[in-house]
């Protein structure tokens, strides 16, 4: 076992070193050429759709279909086409690199400019999400960064095929294939990446709360958290029932395995008589509801008995990633906001209300990366925000927050120019 671990570590170390060298070459590549590479890579992915699906089937066959990650792992021609479309969207966006963010002249005549620059090497650790392989590559290349990918073993075959297609496209354009590197899927490679201080500039974990916590607690390389999504929708006493029914159903059932899916419906006590109607579209998706005592009473006899259960404390503050949802009854907007503050993850929160006053209060008081009013939380997504794609949804407050796209993959440096100025005591 020790020999195997050493071998995997050695492979990972050499791969990281090659990626660092490749990152240094990217500053010489024009934005136009990068755009062309991305467009051609998108076409290559579509052309190799059958190969990708065969590799994906290998991974799917090893996973229980009942596992919520199964849906995230699954690729088909339609999803591959969507991945390619996102890559083309990224190619169409302007480069975020080389922009003068600010400029001023000091009294001594020297000029100071603040310019956007790439991080260098961006490491991403992720689980059964093969689309991340392509999204990270496209966003990193467009922003002048080399991408260092560490996928999970659940998606090993799919990731290897996707990475091979990407690297071949880079080689076809005479760009160093190590600009995009997929590390071995074994855990030892994760440890190597997290210790690569001075080589990897930032690590972004994408996956379960346990993965994110592990990376944050153990990485020596700076980490940007893309936190788990425990998302709430509050139906206010002035909420529109038709809007609420559609928003709740979409946020809960569009894709249950994603971080922007609804986990808890909060309802004002004055509107409990509308709760059954608000949940009326959920039974066709077999959504299990864990309701507090008041909500349970309002739903009893109006929601399928086999899908209705009494809530426990553990059902609040849980990211279900499944066809499950909790319901909490409150007596005021303040109580709803307090519930979100206690159980939320600062990802995406929503209010359904026709009261502009209460909407504004909710927007100001709720501490989350994305706060919605009368809109499904399913829109927390880089492509839906017009960013082309995303590298993750940051729930922290340093550097980036919300969907992270091209601008968030840059930092800045200062350029100081003069004519021989010296500093005197």
């Amino acid at each position: 076992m020790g020999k195997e671990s050493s071998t995997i570590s050695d492979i990972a170390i050499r791969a990281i070193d090659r990626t660092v060298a490749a990152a240094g070459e990217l500053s010489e590549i024009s934005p136009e050429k990068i755009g062309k590479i991305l467009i051609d890579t998108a076409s290559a992915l579509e052309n190799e759709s059958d190969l990708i699906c065969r590799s994906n089937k290998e991974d799917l066959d090893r996973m229980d279909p009942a596992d919520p990650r199964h849906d995230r792992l699954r690729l088909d021609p339609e999803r591959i086409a969507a991945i390619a479309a996102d890559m083309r969207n990224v190619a169409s966006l302007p480069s975020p690199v080389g922009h003068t963010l600010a400029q001023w002249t000091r009294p001594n005549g020297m000029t100071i400019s603040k310019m956007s620059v790439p991080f260098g090497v961006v490491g991403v650790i992720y689980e059964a999400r093969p689309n991340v392989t392509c999204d990270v590559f496209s966003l990193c290349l467009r922003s002048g960064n080399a991408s260092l990918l560490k996928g999970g073993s659940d998606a090993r075959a799919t990731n290897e095929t996707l990475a091979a297609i990407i690297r071949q496209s880079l080689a076809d354009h005479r760009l160093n294939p190590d600009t995009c590197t997929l590390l071995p899927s074994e855990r030892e490679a994760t440890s190597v990446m997290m210790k690569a201080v001075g080589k990897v500039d930032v690590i972004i974990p994408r996956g379960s709360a346990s993965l994110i916590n592990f990376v944050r607690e153990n990485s020596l390389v700076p980490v940007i958290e893309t936190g788990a999504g425990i998302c709430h929708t509050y139906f206010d006493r002035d909420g529109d029932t038709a809007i609420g029914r559609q928003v709740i159903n979409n946020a809960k059932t569009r894709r249950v395995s994603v971080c922007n899916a609804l986990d808890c419906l909060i309802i004002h006590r004055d509107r409990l008589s509308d709760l059954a109607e608000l949940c009326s579209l959920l039974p066709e998706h077999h959504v299990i509801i864990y309701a507090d005592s008041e909500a349970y009473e309002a739903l009893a006899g109006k929601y399928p008995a086999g899908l209705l259960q009494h809530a426990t404390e553990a059902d609040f503050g849980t990211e279900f990633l499944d066809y499950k949802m909790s319901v909490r009854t409150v007596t005021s907007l303040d109580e709803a906001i307090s519930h979100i503050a206690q159980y939320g993850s600062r990802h995406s929160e929503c209010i359904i209300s026709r009261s502009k006053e209460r909407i504004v209060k909710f927007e100001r008081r709720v501490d989350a990366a994305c706060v919605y009013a009368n809109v499904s939380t399913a829109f927390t997504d880089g492509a839906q925000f017009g960013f082309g794609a995303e590298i993750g949804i940051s729930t922290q407050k340093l550097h980036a927050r919300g969907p992270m796209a091209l601008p968030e993959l840059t930092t800045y440096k200062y350029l100081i120019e003069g004519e021989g100025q010296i500093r005197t005591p």
Side-chain angles (χ1 to χ4, degrees), residues 124-164:
V124 180
I125 302 171
Y126 53 111
E127 295 174 316
R129 310 171 184 213
N131 65 293
V132 174
T133 301
C134 300
D135 291 347
V136 170
F137 160 70
S138 61
L139 288 166
C140 283
L141 188 65
R142 196 56 168 147
S143 56
N145 293 288
S147 48
L148 189 64
L149 307 169
K150 171 58 184 69
S153 58
D154 289 333
R156 178 183 54 77
T158 311
N159 286 334
E160 288 177 355
T161 297
L162 292 172

Side-chain angles (χ1 to χ4, degrees), residues 11-20 120-126 132-133 136-137 140 145-151 167 178-184 189-190 192-194 196 199-204 221 391:
I11 291 171
I13 290 169
R14 290 194 294 269
I16 291 172
D17 288 341
R18 291 195 301 269
T19 305
V20 171
V121 176
V122 175
V124 180
I125 302 171
Y126 53 111
V132 174
T133 301
V136 170
F137 160 70
C140 283
N145 293 288
S147 48
L148 189 64
L149 307 169
K150 171 58 184 69
R167 288 170 64 85
D178 293 319
T179 298
C180 177
T181 298
L182 178 69
L183 293 179
T190 302
V192 172
M193 182 194 288
M194 293 191 301
K199 297 179 180 180
V200 179
D201 293 282
V202 64
I203 290 177
I204 303 170
V221 175
I391 203 163

